[in-house]
Amino acid sequence: THRGDLAMRSSVIRRASSLTRSRSGFVPSNVAAGVRLMHGRWTADKVPAGPADPILGLNDAFNKDTFDKKINLGVGAYRDDNGKPWVLPSVKEAEKRLIEKGWNGAYQKEYAGITGIKEFNDASVKFAYGNAGNVIQDGRLAVAQVLSGTGGGRLAFEFYARFVGKNVPIYMPDPTWANHLPMAKDAGLSLQTYRYYDKNTVGLDFNGLCEDVNNAKDGSIFMFHACAHNPTGVDPTAEQWKEISSLLKKKNHMVFLDMAYQGFASGDADKDAHALRLLVEDGHDIILAQSFAKNFGLYGERVGCFSMVAGSTNEADRLLSQIKILIRPMYSNPPIHGARIVATVLNDPTLNKQWYAECKSMADRIIDMRKLLKSNLEKEGSTRNWDHVVKQIGMFCFSGLNPEQVDRLKNEYHIYMTKNGRISMAGVTSKNVQYLAHAMHQVSK
Protein backbone atom coordinates (compact mmCIF):
# COMPACT_ATOMS: atom_id res chain seq x y z
CA THR A 1 0.00 0.00 0.00
CA HIS A 2 0.92 3.68 -0.29
CA ARG A 3 1.08 3.97 3.50
CA GLY A 4 3.28 0.86 3.70
CA ASP A 5 5.62 2.27 1.06
CA LEU A 6 5.90 5.52 3.00
CA ALA A 7 6.68 3.66 6.20
CA MET A 8 9.36 1.60 4.46
CA ARG A 9 10.95 4.66 2.92
CA SER A 10 10.80 6.47 6.27
CA SER A 11 12.60 3.56 7.91
CA VAL A 12 15.33 3.69 5.28
CA ILE A 13 15.61 7.47 5.69
CA ARG A 14 15.90 7.14 9.49
CA ARG A 15 18.71 4.60 9.14
CA ALA A 16 20.50 6.81 6.63
CA SER A 17 20.03 9.84 8.87
CA SER A 18 21.68 8.01 11.76
CA LEU A 19 24.96 7.96 9.80
CA THR A 20 27.46 10.77 9.94
CA ARG A 21 30.45 11.43 7.71
CA SER A 22 33.96 10.48 8.85
CA ARG A 23 37.26 10.53 7.04
CA SER A 24 36.92 6.87 6.21
CA GLY A 25 33.26 7.12 5.17
CA PHE A 26 29.95 6.84 7.01
CA VAL A 27 29.82 5.63 10.61
CA PRO A 28 26.83 5.39 12.98
CA SER A 29 26.11 8.74 14.65
CA ASN A 30 26.31 7.21 18.13
CA VAL A 31 29.92 6.23 17.36
CA ALA A 32 30.61 9.80 16.26
CA ALA A 33 29.17 10.93 19.60
CA GLY A 34 31.88 9.04 21.43
CA VAL A 35 30.53 5.50 21.74
CA ARG A 36 33.11 3.19 20.17
CA LEU A 37 32.58 -0.41 19.08
CA MET A 38 34.49 -2.89 21.22
CA HIS A 39 37.66 -4.29 19.68
CA GLY A 40 37.20 -7.92 18.68
CA ARG A 41 33.50 -8.10 17.89
CA TRP A 42 33.81 -11.67 16.67
CA THR A 43 35.34 -13.17 19.80
CA ALA A 44 36.01 -16.88 20.09
CA ASP A 45 33.10 -17.43 22.46
CA LYS A 46 30.76 -15.99 19.82
CA VAL A 47 32.45 -17.46 16.73
CA PRO A 48 34.62 -20.46 17.65
CA ALA A 49 37.07 -21.88 15.14
CA GLY A 50 35.47 -24.57 12.99
CA PRO A 51 37.01 -28.01 12.58
CA ALA A 52 39.46 -28.41 9.71
CA ASP A 53 38.25 -30.23 6.63
CA PRO A 54 39.73 -33.76 6.88
CA ILE A 55 40.51 -34.04 3.15
CA LEU A 56 42.18 -30.63 2.97
CA GLY A 57 44.15 -31.42 6.11
CA LEU A 58 45.30 -34.65 4.53
CA ASN A 59 46.45 -32.79 1.43
CA ASP A 60 48.35 -30.25 3.53
CA ALA A 61 50.21 -33.03 5.33
CA PHE A 62 50.98 -34.76 2.03
CA ASN A 63 52.31 -31.55 0.46
CA LYS A 64 54.67 -30.99 3.40
CA ASP A 65 55.97 -34.57 3.26
CA THR A 66 59.37 -34.75 1.51
CA PHE A 67 59.53 -38.56 1.19
CA ASP A 68 60.08 -39.51 -2.47
CA LYS A 69 57.65 -42.46 -2.44
CA LYS A 70 54.76 -40.66 -0.75
CA ILE A 71 51.28 -41.42 -2.13
CA ASN A 72 48.11 -39.32 -1.88
CA LEU A 73 45.02 -41.51 -1.93
CA GLY A 74 42.66 -38.90 -0.51
CA VAL A 75 41.90 -36.64 -3.48
CA GLY A 76 38.65 -37.37 -5.30
CA ALA A 77 39.90 -36.27 -8.71
CA TYR A 78 41.16 -38.34 -11.63
CA ARG A 79 44.89 -38.66 -12.25
CA ASP A 80 46.66 -40.34 -15.16
CA ASP A 81 49.22 -43.13 -14.73
CA ASN A 82 51.88 -40.51 -14.03
CA GLY A 83 49.78 -39.09 -11.20
CA LYS A 84 48.96 -35.94 -13.17
CA PRO A 85 45.59 -34.24 -13.79
CA TRP A 86 44.15 -34.90 -17.24
CA VAL A 87 42.10 -32.48 -19.29
CA LEU A 88 40.07 -34.54 -21.75
CA PRO A 89 40.96 -33.85 -25.41
CA SER A 90 37.24 -33.64 -26.26
CA VAL A 91 36.88 -30.91 -23.62
CA LYS A 92 39.90 -29.06 -25.06
CA GLU A 93 38.40 -29.24 -28.55
CA ALA A 94 35.00 -27.97 -27.35
CA GLU A 95 36.71 -25.12 -25.53
CA LYS A 96 38.72 -24.27 -28.65
CA ARG A 97 35.54 -24.08 -30.71
CA LEU A 98 33.88 -21.84 -28.15
CA ILE A 99 36.84 -19.45 -28.24
CA GLU A 100 37.03 -19.41 -32.04
CA LYS A 101 33.32 -19.40 -32.91
CA GLY A 102 31.65 -18.27 -29.69
CA TRP A 103 28.39 -19.63 -28.32
CA ASN A 104 25.69 -19.79 -30.99
CA GLY A 105 27.90 -17.73 -33.27
CA ALA A 106 28.70 -14.94 -30.85
CA TYR A 107 31.38 -14.37 -28.22
CA GLN A 108 29.49 -13.12 -25.19
CA LYS A 109 29.45 -13.40 -21.42
CA GLU A 110 25.81 -12.58 -20.73
CA TYR A 111 23.79 -14.02 -17.86
CA ALA A 112 22.33 -17.41 -18.65
CA GLY A 113 19.12 -16.86 -16.70
CA ILE A 114 18.01 -18.50 -13.47
CA THR A 115 17.76 -22.04 -14.88
CA GLY A 116 20.93 -21.81 -16.96
CA ILE A 117 21.66 -22.77 -20.55
CA LYS A 118 18.80 -24.59 -22.28
CA GLU A 119 21.04 -26.58 -24.64
CA PHE A 120 22.98 -27.88 -21.65
CA ASN A 121 19.83 -28.79 -19.71
CA ASP A 122 18.31 -30.61 -22.68
CA ALA A 123 21.50 -32.55 -23.36
CA SER A 124 21.99 -33.39 -19.67
CA VAL A 125 18.57 -34.95 -19.13
CA LYS A 126 18.81 -36.88 -22.41
CA PHE A 127 22.19 -38.18 -21.24
CA ALA A 128 20.74 -39.26 -17.90
CA TYR A 129 17.18 -40.42 -18.57
CA GLY A 130 17.45 -41.67 -22.14
CA ASN A 131 13.90 -42.66 -23.10
CA ALA A 132 12.94 -43.83 -19.61
CA GLY A 133 9.27 -43.35 -18.89
CA ASN A 134 8.93 -40.98 -21.86
CA VAL A 135 9.41 -38.18 -19.31
CA ILE A 136 11.36 -36.04 -21.79
CA GLN A 137 8.98 -36.64 -24.70
CA ASP A 138 5.95 -35.93 -22.47
CA GLY A 139 7.45 -32.71 -21.04
CA ARG A 140 7.34 -34.06 -17.49
CA LEU A 141 10.73 -32.78 -16.31
CA ALA A 142 11.45 -29.59 -14.40
CA VAL A 143 15.12 -28.85 -15.17
CA ALA A 144 17.71 -26.32 -14.04
CA GLN A 145 21.46 -25.96 -14.43
CA VAL A 146 23.07 -25.90 -10.99
CA LEU A 147 26.44 -25.68 -9.23
CA SER A 148 27.58 -29.26 -9.74
CA GLY A 149 26.39 -32.08 -7.48
CA THR A 150 26.61 -30.10 -4.27
CA GLY A 151 24.42 -27.35 -5.70
CA GLY A 152 21.91 -29.87 -7.00
CA GLY A 153 21.76 -31.67 -3.67
CA ARG A 154 21.36 -28.50 -1.66
CA LEU A 155 18.57 -27.33 -3.99
CA ALA A 156 16.80 -30.69 -3.57
CA PHE A 157 17.02 -30.48 0.22
CA GLU A 158 15.76 -26.89 0.24
CA PHE A 159 12.83 -27.94 -1.94
CA TYR A 160 11.95 -30.81 0.40
CA ALA A 161 12.23 -28.53 3.45
CA ARG A 162 9.92 -25.93 1.91
CA PHE A 163 7.27 -28.17 0.38
CA VAL A 164 7.41 -31.39 2.41
CA GLY A 165 8.32 -29.70 5.68
CA LYS A 166 11.16 -28.80 7.99
CA ASN A 167 12.41 -31.63 10.18
CA VAL A 168 11.05 -34.23 7.76
CA PRO A 169 13.32 -37.30 7.97
CA ILE A 170 15.69 -37.90 5.09
CA TYR A 171 17.32 -41.31 5.07
CA MET A 172 20.89 -41.52 3.78
CA PRO A 173 23.08 -44.60 3.33
CA ASP A 174 25.49 -45.40 6.14
CA PRO A 175 28.08 -44.31 5.16
CA THR A 176 27.62 -41.60 2.55
CA TRP A 177 29.65 -38.72 1.10
CA ALA A 178 30.41 -36.50 4.09
CA ASN A 179 29.03 -33.35 2.46
CA HIS A 180 25.53 -34.84 2.15
CA LEU A 181 25.00 -34.58 5.90
CA PRO A 182 25.56 -30.84 6.46
CA MET A 183 23.79 -30.03 3.16
CA ALA A 184 20.58 -31.66 4.41
CA LYS A 185 20.99 -30.46 7.99
CA ASP A 186 21.52 -26.84 6.94
CA ALA A 187 18.34 -27.05 4.86
CA GLY A 188 16.46 -28.02 8.02
CA LEU A 189 15.82 -31.71 7.36
CA SER A 190 16.08 -34.42 10.02
CA LEU A 191 19.03 -36.71 9.28
CA GLN A 192 18.44 -40.46 9.45
CA THR A 193 20.44 -43.34 8.03
CA TYR A 194 19.67 -46.72 6.54
CA ARG A 195 21.98 -49.70 6.62
CA TYR A 196 24.14 -49.95 3.52
CA TYR A 197 27.71 -51.14 4.07
CA ASP A 198 28.44 -54.46 5.76
CA LYS A 199 31.88 -54.39 7.41
CA ASN A 200 31.94 -58.16 7.72
CA THR A 201 31.51 -58.83 4.01
CA VAL A 202 32.99 -55.49 2.84
CA GLY A 203 29.90 -55.35 0.66
CA LEU A 204 26.25 -54.33 0.61
CA ASP A 205 24.00 -55.01 3.62
CA PHE A 206 21.04 -55.61 1.34
CA ASN A 207 18.78 -57.20 3.94
CA GLY A 208 19.43 -54.36 6.37
CA LEU A 209 18.78 -51.79 3.64
CA CYS A 210 15.43 -53.37 2.75
CA GLU A 211 14.38 -53.64 6.40
CA ASP A 212 15.12 -49.96 6.99
CA VAL A 213 13.23 -48.89 3.85
CA ASN A 214 10.27 -51.00 4.96
CA ASN A 215 10.32 -49.81 8.59
CA ALA A 216 10.56 -46.09 7.78
CA LYS A 217 7.42 -44.00 8.07
CA ASP A 218 5.43 -43.92 4.83
CA GLY A 219 6.30 -40.96 2.63
CA SER A 220 9.82 -40.49 3.97
CA ILE A 221 12.67 -39.20 1.79
CA PHE A 222 15.35 -41.70 0.73
CA MET A 223 18.62 -40.66 -0.86
CA PHE A 224 20.59 -43.06 -3.05
CA HIS A 225 23.79 -42.88 -5.07
CA ALA A 226 22.82 -43.71 -8.66
CA CYS A 227 26.13 -45.51 -9.27
CA ALA A 228 29.66 -45.77 -7.84
CA HIS A 229 28.64 -45.21 -4.22
CA ASN A 230 30.96 -42.79 -2.41
CA PRO A 231 32.85 -43.76 -0.25
CA THR A 232 32.38 -47.53 -0.50
CA GLY A 233 32.28 -48.26 -4.24
CA VAL A 234 29.55 -50.80 -3.39
CA ASP A 235 26.44 -50.72 -5.62
CA PRO A 236 23.28 -52.86 -5.58
CA THR A 237 22.92 -55.32 -8.46
CA ALA A 238 20.27 -54.82 -11.14
CA GLU A 239 18.05 -57.40 -9.41
CA GLN A 240 18.52 -55.71 -6.03
CA TRP A 241 17.55 -52.35 -7.53
CA LYS A 242 14.26 -53.93 -8.67
CA GLU A 243 13.50 -55.01 -5.11
CA ILE A 244 14.49 -51.61 -3.72
CA SER A 245 12.23 -49.85 -6.25
CA SER A 246 9.30 -52.09 -5.36
CA LEU A 247 9.75 -51.44 -1.64
CA LEU A 248 10.05 -47.69 -2.12
CA LYS A 249 6.84 -47.66 -4.15
CA LYS A 250 4.98 -49.79 -1.59
CA LYS A 251 5.94 -47.30 1.15
CA ASN A 252 5.25 -44.22 -1.01
CA HIS A 253 8.74 -42.89 -0.24
CA MET A 254 10.21 -39.92 -2.07
CA VAL A 255 13.52 -40.58 -3.85
CA PHE A 256 16.51 -38.31 -4.33
CA LEU A 257 19.31 -39.62 -6.56
CA ASP A 258 22.84 -38.23 -6.59
CA MET A 259 24.57 -39.16 -9.86
CA ALA A 260 28.18 -37.97 -9.88
CA TYR A 261 29.85 -40.76 -11.87
CA GLN A 262 27.76 -41.56 -14.94
CA GLY A 263 30.16 -43.07 -17.49
CA PHE A 264 33.09 -42.87 -15.08
CA ALA A 265 31.93 -45.84 -12.98
CA SER A 266 31.85 -48.65 -15.53
CA GLY A 267 32.90 -46.87 -18.71
CA ASP A 268 29.33 -47.27 -20.02
CA ALA A 269 27.11 -44.22 -19.40
CA ASP A 270 23.90 -46.16 -20.15
CA LYS A 271 24.82 -48.95 -17.76
CA ASP A 272 25.63 -46.43 -15.02
CA ALA A 273 22.18 -44.83 -15.50
CA HIS A 274 20.37 -48.15 -14.95
CA ALA A 275 19.08 -47.41 -11.44
CA LEU A 276 17.77 -43.99 -12.42
CA ARG A 277 15.97 -45.27 -15.50
CA LEU A 278 14.51 -48.25 -13.62
CA LEU A 279 13.07 -46.01 -10.91
CA VAL A 280 11.56 -43.67 -13.51
CA GLU A 281 10.09 -46.59 -15.49
CA ASP A 282 8.57 -47.87 -12.23
CA GLY A 283 6.75 -44.57 -11.77
CA HIS A 284 8.82 -42.83 -9.08
CA ASP A 285 8.71 -39.03 -9.23
CA ILE A 286 12.38 -38.68 -8.39
CA ILE A 287 14.67 -35.70 -7.95
CA LEU A 288 18.04 -36.08 -9.65
CA ALA A 289 21.29 -34.19 -9.16
CA GLN A 290 23.87 -34.71 -11.93
CA SER A 291 27.49 -33.65 -11.74
CA PHE A 292 29.90 -33.35 -14.66
CA ALA A 293 33.00 -32.91 -12.49
CA LYS A 294 34.33 -36.47 -12.63
CA ASN A 295 33.12 -37.79 -16.00
CA PHE A 296 34.15 -34.64 -17.92
CA GLY A 297 37.06 -33.63 -15.67
CA LEU A 298 35.42 -30.23 -15.12
CA TYR A 299 35.99 -30.10 -11.36
CA GLY A 300 36.48 -26.36 -11.01
CA GLU A 301 33.82 -25.35 -13.54
CA ARG A 302 30.96 -26.41 -11.20
CA VAL A 303 28.75 -27.96 -13.86
CA GLY A 304 25.60 -29.74 -12.74
CA CYS A 305 21.98 -30.36 -13.63
CA PHE A 306 18.95 -30.62 -11.34
CA SER A 307 15.76 -32.30 -12.51
CA MET A 308 12.42 -33.36 -11.07
CA VAL A 309 10.05 -35.89 -12.61
CA ALA A 310 6.47 -34.57 -12.60
CA GLY A 311 3.12 -36.18 -13.27
CA SER A 312 2.23 -33.81 -16.11
CA THR A 313 3.52 -30.86 -18.10
CA ASN A 314 1.45 -28.51 -15.96
CA GLU A 315 2.97 -29.96 -12.80
CA ALA A 316 6.49 -29.66 -14.26
CA ASP A 317 5.83 -25.97 -14.98
CA ARG A 318 4.67 -25.38 -11.40
CA LEU A 319 7.68 -27.20 -9.98
CA LEU A 320 10.04 -25.18 -12.15
CA SER A 321 8.44 -21.92 -11.00
CA GLN A 322 9.26 -22.83 -7.39
CA ILE A 323 12.74 -24.05 -8.28
CA LYS A 324 13.44 -20.62 -9.77
CA ILE A 325 12.23 -18.95 -6.58
CA LEU A 326 14.65 -21.08 -4.53
CA ILE A 327 17.60 -20.46 -6.87
CA ARG A 328 17.21 -16.70 -7.28
CA PRO A 329 18.25 -15.63 -3.73
CA MET A 330 20.70 -18.53 -3.40
CA TYR A 331 23.07 -17.80 -6.31
CA SER A 332 20.86 -16.03 -8.88
CA ASN A 333 22.13 -17.91 -11.94
CA PRO A 334 24.81 -20.48 -12.78
CA PRO A 335 28.24 -20.10 -14.45
CA ILE A 336 28.19 -20.56 -18.21
CA HIS A 337 31.59 -21.73 -19.45
CA GLY A 338 31.62 -25.35 -18.25
CA ALA A 339 27.99 -25.88 -19.22
CA ARG A 340 28.72 -24.70 -22.76
CA ILE A 341 31.61 -27.18 -22.96
CA VAL A 342 29.39 -30.09 -21.89
CA ALA A 343 26.59 -29.02 -24.25
CA THR A 344 29.06 -28.74 -27.14
CA VAL A 345 30.44 -32.23 -26.50
CA LEU A 346 27.10 -33.97 -25.94
CA ASN A 347 25.40 -32.31 -28.92
CA ASP A 348 28.18 -32.93 -31.45
CA PRO A 349 28.21 -36.55 -32.73
CA THR A 350 31.97 -36.61 -33.33
CA LEU A 351 32.91 -35.03 -30.00
CA ASN A 352 30.33 -37.16 -28.23
CA LYS A 353 31.88 -40.36 -29.59
CA GLN A 354 35.35 -39.10 -28.66
CA TRP A 355 34.23 -38.27 -25.11
CA TYR A 356 32.73 -41.74 -24.61
CA ALA A 357 36.08 -43.29 -25.53
CA GLU A 358 38.00 -40.93 -23.21
CA CYS A 359 35.63 -41.49 -20.31
CA LYS A 360 35.91 -45.25 -20.80
CA SER A 361 39.70 -44.95 -20.75
CA MET A 362 39.50 -43.28 -17.31
CA ALA A 363 37.17 -45.98 -16.02
CA ASP A 364 39.35 -48.72 -17.50
CA ARG A 365 42.49 -47.33 -15.84
CA ILE A 366 40.74 -47.38 -12.46
CA ILE A 367 39.57 -50.96 -13.06
CA ASP A 368 43.11 -52.00 -14.08
CA MET A 369 44.55 -50.47 -10.91
CA ARG A 370 42.05 -52.44 -8.82
CA LYS A 371 43.24 -55.66 -10.45
CA LEU A 372 46.90 -54.73 -9.99
CA LEU A 373 46.41 -53.83 -6.34
CA LYS A 374 44.68 -57.11 -5.58
CA SER A 375 47.29 -59.19 -7.44
CA ASN A 376 50.17 -57.38 -5.73
CA LEU A 377 48.60 -57.92 -2.30
CA GLU A 378 48.43 -61.62 -3.09
CA LYS A 379 52.07 -61.59 -4.26
CA GLU A 380 53.03 -60.01 -0.94
CA GLY A 381 51.65 -63.13 0.74
CA SER A 382 48.51 -61.57 2.20
CA THR A 383 46.02 -64.21 3.33
CA ARG A 384 43.16 -61.72 3.62
CA ASN A 385 40.35 -61.80 1.10
CA TRP A 386 40.80 -58.76 -1.16
CA ASP A 387 38.03 -59.63 -3.64
CA HIS A 388 36.16 -56.47 -2.67
CA VAL A 389 38.91 -54.37 -4.25
CA VAL A 390 37.88 -55.57 -7.72
CA LYS A 391 34.17 -56.00 -7.01
CA GLN A 392 33.68 -52.39 -5.97
CA ILE A 393 33.24 -49.78 -8.67
CA GLY A 394 34.12 -46.17 -9.38
CA MET A 395 36.79 -43.84 -8.08
CA PHE A 396 36.84 -45.10 -4.51
CA CYS A 397 37.70 -48.36 -2.82
CA PHE A 398 36.64 -49.06 0.76
CA SER A 399 39.74 -51.02 1.72
CA GLY A 400 38.54 -52.48 5.03
CA LEU A 401 41.57 -51.01 6.83
CA ASN A 402 40.83 -49.59 10.27
CA PRO A 403 41.92 -46.13 11.57
CA GLU A 404 44.97 -47.56 13.35
CA GLN A 405 46.17 -49.23 10.17
CA VAL A 406 45.53 -46.03 8.20
CA ASP A 407 47.67 -44.12 10.72
CA ARG A 408 50.48 -46.64 10.30
CA LEU A 409 50.34 -46.23 6.53
CA LYS A 410 50.78 -42.49 6.95
CA ASN A 411 53.40 -42.52 9.70
CA GLU A 412 55.51 -45.46 8.52
CA TYR A 413 55.00 -45.50 4.75
CA HIS A 414 53.96 -41.92 3.87
CA ILE A 415 50.69 -43.11 2.30
CA TYR A 416 47.76 -40.77 2.89
CA MET A 417 44.10 -41.81 2.92
CA THR A 418 41.01 -40.92 4.95
CA LYS A 419 40.56 -42.49 8.41
CA ASN A 420 37.76 -44.77 7.21
CA GLY A 421 40.17 -46.59 4.90
CA ARG A 422 38.79 -45.09 1.68
CA ILE A 423 41.29 -45.25 -1.18
CA SER A 424 40.98 -42.90 -4.12
CA MET A 425 41.94 -45.36 -6.84
CA ALA A 426 42.86 -42.43 -9.09
CA GLY A 427 45.96 -42.00 -6.93
CA VAL A 428 47.13 -45.55 -7.65
CA THR A 429 49.47 -45.94 -10.62
CA SER A 430 51.47 -48.73 -12.21
CA LYS A 431 54.53 -47.08 -10.67
CA ASN A 432 53.37 -47.01 -7.03
CA VAL A 433 50.95 -49.96 -6.77
CA GLN A 434 53.64 -52.45 -5.68
CA TYR A 435 54.82 -50.15 -2.87
CA LEU A 436 51.20 -49.54 -1.84
CA ALA A 437 50.41 -53.26 -1.74
CA HIS A 438 53.55 -53.94 0.32
CA ALA A 439 52.59 -51.26 2.85
CA MET A 440 48.96 -52.41 3.06
CA HIS A 441 50.10 -55.99 3.69
CA GLN A 442 52.52 -54.92 6.41
CA VAL A 443 49.90 -53.01 8.38
CA SER A 444 47.12 -55.59 7.90
CA LYS A 445 48.87 -58.96 8.30
Side-chain angles (χ1 to χ4, degrees), residues 71-370:
I71 306 175
N72 188 351
L73 302 177
V75 178
Y78 181 77
R79 297 291 182 263
D80 64 19
D81 199 46
N82 294 312
K84 303 297 183 183
W86 187 47
V87 179
L88 277 61
S90 58
V91 166
K92 286 183 177 179
E93 175 59 28
E95 199 162 36
K96 179 184 174 185
R97 293 184 189 182
L98 289 171
I99 292 170
E100 291 177 351
K101 300 178 182 179
W103 177 250
N104 293 334
Y107 187 82
Q108 43 88 4
K109 297 290 186 182
E110 299 298 311
Y111 291 127
I114 296 174
T115 58
I117 296 172
K118 184 181 186 302
E119 293 91 338
F120 165 78
N121 291 338
D122 291 346
S124 295
V125 294
K126 178 66 177 174
F127 179 60
Y129 291 87
N131 295 317
N134 288 324
V135 292
I136 296 176
Q137 296 89 325
D138 295 344
R140 293 195 292 116
L141 286 179
V143 188
Q145 180 192 336
V146 290
L147 307 180
S148 203
T150 302
R154 183 59 189 268
L155 183 58
F157 300 150
E158 292 288 349
F159 184 91
Y160 286 133
R162 181 167 295 188
F163 294 102
V164 182
K166 294 274 187 180
N167 298 316
V168 167
I170 178 167
Y171 287 82
M172 297 187 175
D174 182 18
T176 190
W177 180 46
N179 214 22
H180 282 143
L181 306 174
M183 284 159 58
K185 182 180 178 183
D186 288 353
L189 299 176
S190 173
L191 298 180
Q192 305 290 333
T193 60
Y194 60 87
R195 282 170 283 177
Y196 191 86
Y197 176 72
D198 187 336
K199 291 181 180 179
N200 296 320
T201 64
V202 201
L204 182 67
D205 183 358
F206 183 64
N207 291 333
L209 185 159
C210 291
E211 284 180 16
D212 290 346
V213 170
N214 196 50
N215 292 335
K217 181 181 177 181
D218 288 12
S220 295
I221 305 165
F222 272 78
M223 193 211 81
F224 291 92
H225 300 230
C227 61
H229 178 274
N230 179 5
T232 68
V234 175
D235 286 352
T237 65
E239 287 302 312
Q240 288 172 333
W241 272 119
K242 285 183 182 178
E243 290 189 52
I244 292 168
S245 176
S246 178
L247 264 179
L248 290 167
K249 200 165 188 180
K250 171 189 166 188
K251 296 289 292 183
N252 197 32
H253 292 322
M254 291 167 278
V255 180
F256 168 61
L257 278 180
D258 186 342
M259 188 156 69
Y261 296 94
Q262 187 185 359
F264 189 99
S266 68
D268 183 337
D270 291 322
K271 181 180 179 181
D272 293 344
H274 171 78
L276 161 68
R277 295 174 185 178
L278 171 72
L279 290 166
V280 173
E281 289 283 0
D282 285 353
H284 296 277
D285 291 343
I286 62 113
I287 295 181
L288 173 69
Q290 292 170 261
S291 167
F292 292 90
K294 306 294 193 300
N295 52 5
F296 273 71
L298 294 171
Y299 304 97
E301 298 287 358
R302 313 312 295 141
V303 189
C305 188
F306 171 97
S307 54
M308 294 184 71
V309 176
S312 65
T313 301
N314 178 266
E315 184 177 299
D317 290 341
R318 283 190 286 106
L319 291 173
L320 188 60
S321 71
Q322 294 295 343
I323 291 165
K324 289 178 180 179
I325 290 169
L326 284 168
I327 289 173
R328 177 63 171 153
M330 194 184 297
Y331 58 86
S332 188
N333 50 78
I336 57 177
H337 187 67
R340 288 174 175 173
I341 291 173
V342 173
T344 300
V345 171
L346 290 180
N347 289 325
D348 182 278
T350 303
L351 282 182
N352 196 354
K353 184 179 179 180
Q354 181 182 341
W355 171 82
Y356 269 93
E358 292 163 0
C359 188
K360 187 176 187 306
S361 75
M362 291 192 289
D364 287 348
R365 194 187 88 73
I366 297 294
I367 292 168
D368 288 345
M369 290 306 104
R370 289 180 179 277

Side-chain angles (χ1 to χ4, degrees), residues 56 58-66 70 72 416:
L56 295 180
L58 203 65
N59 290 341
D60 289 342
F62 173 81
N63 290 333
K64 292 174 183 176
D65 193 330
T66 58
K70 66 180 180 178
N72 188 351
Y416 295 79

